[in-house]
Amino acid sequence: MSSQILIVDDDPLILKGAWNILTEAGMKAAVLKSGLMIQDYIRDNGAPDLILLDISMPDMDGFEVLKELRKTEEKGKEIPIIFLTANEDEDTESKGLSLGAMDYIRKPFIPSILVLRVRHVIELVTLQRELGSEVERKTREIEQLYLNVVSSLADAIDAKDAYTNGHSARVAEYSREIAKRYGFDEEQQDMIYMMGLLHDVGKIGVPDEIINKPSRLTDEEFAIIKSHPVIGGRILSNIKGMPMLVNGARWHHERYDGRGYPDGKAGEDIPLEARMIAVADAYDAMSSNRSYRGALPQEKIREEIEKGKGTQFDPQFADIMLAMIDEDTDYNMRDKHE
């Protein structure tokens, strides 16, 4: 596919000469007499691969055109610019390059030099875009691999308890939905999803016989269960590139009124993400089967979350969870594992 070049100059002879040279070299070219026409051209035809832009024009000079492109047009921010100028002043060249132009071509230009410089810029920009796409692809692959590893770890944690099948994944999904409704962007939503998957990672350090005990736990056994946020926080603190992961694991059992564990944090001293996960975790615990009871009716869960507003739960996240419950008229947000 040949490159699309846009030539912008108020001199008809320059436009005709440049158009002839580039089309004879196998490139597609279009011409405009004024920089004021570029925005309309891009809107109607899409962004060109390169703009050859004259500096000295009567309505808008090339510098003003470039500033407007970079400021107002999303596509315009990426279009490479080569300035055309008869001015050999070094300050003019320096100004253009500082604004983001990729090159200068002196007028009147030599046909072979024009073609070579245009091809050089297009090849360079194409290479940059290909490298950028490859980096993005590799980044997505790494992120997906990391998510797969984390999901497998979450499944391994849940497998310690026969009655928590899929618990971590559901908490992650509910937490992400709460974050979305709260206004988090996609990157923040992905992070809280990851935190939800790993919120119970500390249960790795809790003996299976305690986790699966069907009868009431002793005080000593409950103290061991209550150690899992500290263990989880310590495990995740080793992931230096994602320090926020600790927040969900260590503080999802804190209460808004300060009567939670392990640190007795209260209110907004509890990390925001942990307050979201706390509501999601409590909801899934109530809507899931346990060794000592079945899943609670939806109305009962709603009642308990309403009751916990401002005491167990941050009121704003409790309200978001209540809205999610009210929208779930068929009670699909629950553990369907028998």
Side-chain angles (χ1 to χ4, degrees):
M1 182 178 178
S2 60
S3 301
Q4 178 68 44
I5 314 300
L6 181 61
I7 310 161
V8 185
D9 199 300
D10 63 328
D11 186 336
L13 292 177
I14 293 293
L15 292 178
K16 183 177 180 180
W19 185 89
N20 285 335
I21 292 167
L22 295 177
T23 53
E24 286 175 7
M27 302 178 196
K28 292 182 179 179
V31 298
L32 296 176
K33 296 178 181 179
S34 168
L36 295 172
M37 304 168 69
I38 292 180
Q39 303 284 12
D40 291 338
Y41 177 90
I42 292 174
R43 185 183 63 246
D44 296 339
N45 301 281
D49 297 295
L50 173 66
I51 297 178
L52 299 180
L53 180 61
D54 185 29
I55 293 178
S56 299
M57 294 183 289
D59 297 322
M60 278 180 85
D61 68 30
F63 297 141
E64 293 172 319
V65 172
L66 179 53
K67 288 178 183 177
E68 286 302 308
L69 270 177
R70 298 303 191 236
K71 180 173 64 177
T72 62
E73 279 289 344
E74 189 63 34
K75 291 181 178 178
K77 293 179 181 178
E78 302 174 358
I79 302 172
I81 304 291
I82 295 179
F83 276 130
L84 303 176
T85 181
N87 189 339
E88 297 189 11
D89 179 22
E90 289 184 6
D91 290 339
T92 299
E93 186 169 340
S94 176
K95 181 178 180 181
L97 294 173
S98 68
L99 289 174
M102 294 194 69
D103 202 354
Y104 265 81
I105 296 178
R106 306 289 177 191
K107 297 190 293 185
F109 36 74
I110 301 170
S112 59
I113 297 299
L114 175 63
V115 171
L116 285 172
R117 290 202 172 181
V118 165
R119 282 181 174 161
H120 173 74
V121 169
I122 289 175
E123 288 170 1
L124 179 61
V125 171
T126 300
L127 178 60
Q128 289 173 337
R129 289 173 180 168
E130 288 175 352
L131 287 174
S133 297
E134 182 65 13
V135 169
E136 288 181 9
R137 187 181 69 80
K138 287 295 184 183
T139 299
R140 288 194 297 270
E141 285 182 1
I142 292 170
E143 289 174 348
Q144 188 58 52
L145 177 62
Y146 184 71
L147 182 59
N148 290 343
V149 171
V150 169
S151 297
S152 296
L153 178 58
D155 288 344
I157 296 162
D158 291 350
K160 285 174 67 69
D161 184 346
Y163 288 90
T164 58
N165 182 63
H167 168 70
S168 296
R170 289 191 300 274
V171 170
E173 289 288 355
Y174 303 153
S175 298
R176 178 157 57 187
E177 181 63 23
I178 292 170
K180 178 181 178 181
R181 295 182 184 218
Y182 180 67
F184 274 16
D185 61 30
E186 287 191 16
E187 186 175 344
Q188 292 171 311
Q189 291 172 40
D190 289 343
M191 175 55 71
I192 200 162
Y193 181 82
M194 196 81 71
M195 293 166 71
L197 281 176
L198 293 172
H199 77 284
D200 269 346
V201 69
K203 285 185 177 178
I204 287 175
V206 178
D208 291 359
E209 57 269 21
I210 294 178
I211 290 178
N212 289 295
K213 186 177 180 181
S215 57
R216 185 181 179 85
L217 297 175
T218 65
D219 290 344
E220 293 78 11
E221 290 169 336
F222 188 55
I224 293 172
I225 284 283
K226 287 174 66 176
S227 71
H228 82 270
V230 175
I231 297 171
R234 188 165 61 244
I235 291 170
L236 297 181
S237 68
N238 293 314
I239 304 177
K240 304 302 182 184
M242 292 182 168
M244 289 179 63
L245 287 177
V246 171
N247 293 355
R250 184 172 180 99
W251 291 299
H252 68 280
H253 279 298
E254 300 289 358
R255 290 173 52 107
Y256 200 71
D257 59 10
R259 294 192 293 118
Y261 63 90
D263 300 314
K265 287 180 176 287
E268 295 187 5
D269 285 340
I270 305 168
L272 189 70
E273 300 84 4
R275 282 179 267 150
M276 294 180 182
I277 291 171
V279 180
D281 187 39
Y283 174 85
D284 189 68
M286 290 185 282
S287 60
S288 299
N289 297 311
R290 290 291 184 264
S291 58
Y292 49 89
R293 61 153 175 80
L296 299 180
Q298 192 181 43
E299 314 82 67
K300 177 63 176 175
I301 298 173
R302 195 190 192 289
E303 179 184 313
E304 290 298 318
I305 291 178
E306 184 73 55
K307 186 190 303 182
K309 283 174 56 175
T311 53
Q312 183 174 355
F313 309 120
D314 182 322
Q316 60 187 332
F317 300 134
D319 282 338
I320 292 175
M321 190 75 245
L322 290 170
M324 290 165 60
I325 293 171
D326 291 341
E327 293 170 18
D328 183 25
T329 54
D330 294 327
Y331 195 12
N332 289 315
M333 287 195 308
R334 61 190 177 94
D335 174 18
K336 297 178 181 179
H337 174 72
E338 298 297 336

